[in-house]
């Protein structure tokens, strides 16, 4: 199953910190939704072994009534914005984060997500004629234990950036340029604010620094079950 989609909005009603910082510039707020996932691919299968129990062949009896069911999923990453500590704007949202003045929102995209789940099941029939059997199963999610990063640190601190006073400050000095993860250079006054990408951290101290991945999905998990079917 493949889904190609696009979600665009100019209002968010489920997260107050995402409210637009400049109500007079709503044109910059119209952008991909924070939950926009343009590509999703899911593939699944169920395979049951063809061997039959009760034929006198021990090998066939062991391999009979076994089902293997993999699920493979891949989807594009979620969008994210460049955010800065908010300046007072006369609203009740002053404690939230604001985007740089010339930047829109959700103009970058986080890492893709990919995982493989697998279920193995063996049926032990008590009465095959009546369909009564015990199912012994093992189900694993993210069985290859892939690290799926799900968030990019998008907060850019402006501490230490020179401010322009009286128009006499040279542009090169007051540009407010910072170097983020992976050597990506960003001018918080002029950008670029598009096509930025996350970088895998190498130490815990980096996860709060701009453009480092800051969160990951669950690692491999396995559960076992025993079910009576009648």
């Amino acid at each position: 199953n493949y889904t190609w989609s696009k979600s665009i909005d100019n209002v968010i009603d489920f997260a107050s910190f995402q409210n637009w910082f400049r109500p007079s510039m709503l044109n910059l707020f119209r952008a991909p939704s924070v939950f926009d996932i343009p590509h999703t691919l899911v593939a699944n299968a169920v395979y049951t072994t063809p061997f039959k129990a009760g034929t006198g062949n021990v090998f066939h009896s062991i391999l009979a009534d076994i089902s293997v069911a993999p699920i493979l999923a891949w989807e594009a990453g979620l969008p994210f914005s460049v955010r800065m500590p908010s300046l007072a704007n006369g609203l009740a949202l002053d404690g939230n984060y604001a985007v740089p003045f010339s930047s829109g929102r959700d103009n970058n995209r986080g890492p893709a997500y990919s995982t493989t789940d697998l279920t193995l099941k063996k049926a032990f029939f008590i009465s095959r004629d009546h369909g009564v059997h015990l199912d012994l199963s093992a189900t694993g999610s993210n069985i290859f234990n892939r690290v799926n990063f799900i968030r990019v640190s998008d907060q850019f601190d402006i501490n230490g950036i020179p401010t322009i006073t009286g128009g006499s400050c040279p542009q090169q000095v007051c540009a407010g340029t910072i170097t983020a993860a992976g050597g990506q250079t960003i001018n918080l006054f002029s950008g670029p604010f598009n096509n930025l990408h996350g970088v895998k951290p190498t130490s815990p101290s980096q996860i709060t620094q701009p453009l480092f991945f800051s969160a990951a999905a669950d690692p491999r998990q396995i559960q076992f079950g025993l079910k009576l079917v009648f």
Side-chain angles (χ1 to χ4, degrees):
N1 297 283
Y2 170 72
T3 302
W4 178 40
S5 65
K6 188 70 173 180
S7 177
I8 301 174
D9 58 31
N10 60 3
V11 63
I12 299 176
D13 58 4
F14 61 86
S16 62
F17 73 90
Q18 291 277 2
N19 281 280
W20 190 232
F21 186 65
R22 301 180 184 88
S24 61
M25 300 176 68
L26 291 178
N27 60 306
L28 292 178
F29 193 66
R30 178 178 168 81
S33 305
V34 294
F35 51 81
D36 176 55
I37 302 177
H39 306 285
T40 301
L41 176 65
V42 178
N44 68 286
V46 177
Y47 173 77
T48 302
T49 56
F51 304 100
K52 302 294 183 182
T55 61
N57 188 313
V58 176
F59 179 77
H60 285 191
S61 297
I62 293 174
L63 296 181
D65 306 310
I66 294 178
S67 297
V68 182
I71 302 176
L72 289 77
W74 178 90
E75 61 185 33
L78 291 167
F80 71 93
S81 309
V82 171
R83 296 195 298 160
M84 299 168 58
S86 173
L87 303 175
N89 66 350
L91 299 177
L93 305 173
D94 293 345
N96 297 328
Y97 285 85
V99 299
F101 187 80
S102 59
S103 173
R105 71 178 179 98
D106 294 344
N107 42 12
N108 303 280
R109 194 163 291 276
Y113 179 91
S114 177
T115 188
T116 301
D117 301 338
L118 181 67
T119 295
L120 296 175
K121 183 176 66 174
K122 167 72 174 176
F124 298 89
F125 279 87
I126 300 173
S127 174
R128 191 174 293 271
D129 292 337
H130 294 87
V132 180
H133 56 91
L134 285 172
D135 284 348
L136 178 64
S137 64
T139 300
S141 59
N142 191 14
I143 60 170
F144 297 118
N145 207 29
R146 183 179 188 272
V147 179
N148 280 302
F149 293 104
I150 56 176
R151 190 176 185 277
V152 179
S153 182
D154 58 359
Q155 300 176 10
F156 290 71
D157 194 353
I158 59 174
N159 291 334
I161 294 178
T163 58
I164 299 176
T165 57
S168 60
C169 183
Q171 182 179 0
Q172 294 83 355
V173 177
C174 301
T177 299
I178 65 172
T179 300
Q184 300 169 85
T185 301
I186 303 169
N187 184 305
L188 294 182
F189 294 113
S190 60
F193 303 115
N194 300 331
N195 301 318
L196 303 174
H197 56 86
V199 176
K200 180 181 179 179
T202 57
S203 68
S205 63
Q206 292 178 329
I207 63 175
T208 58
Q209 299 178 22
L211 296 184
F212 278 107
F213 294 134
S214 58
D218 291 335
R220 176 175 50 226
Q221 297 181 352
I222 299 176
Q223 63 180 5
F224 298 93
L226 182 64
K227 180 170 64 175
L228 174 64
V229 181
F230 60 92

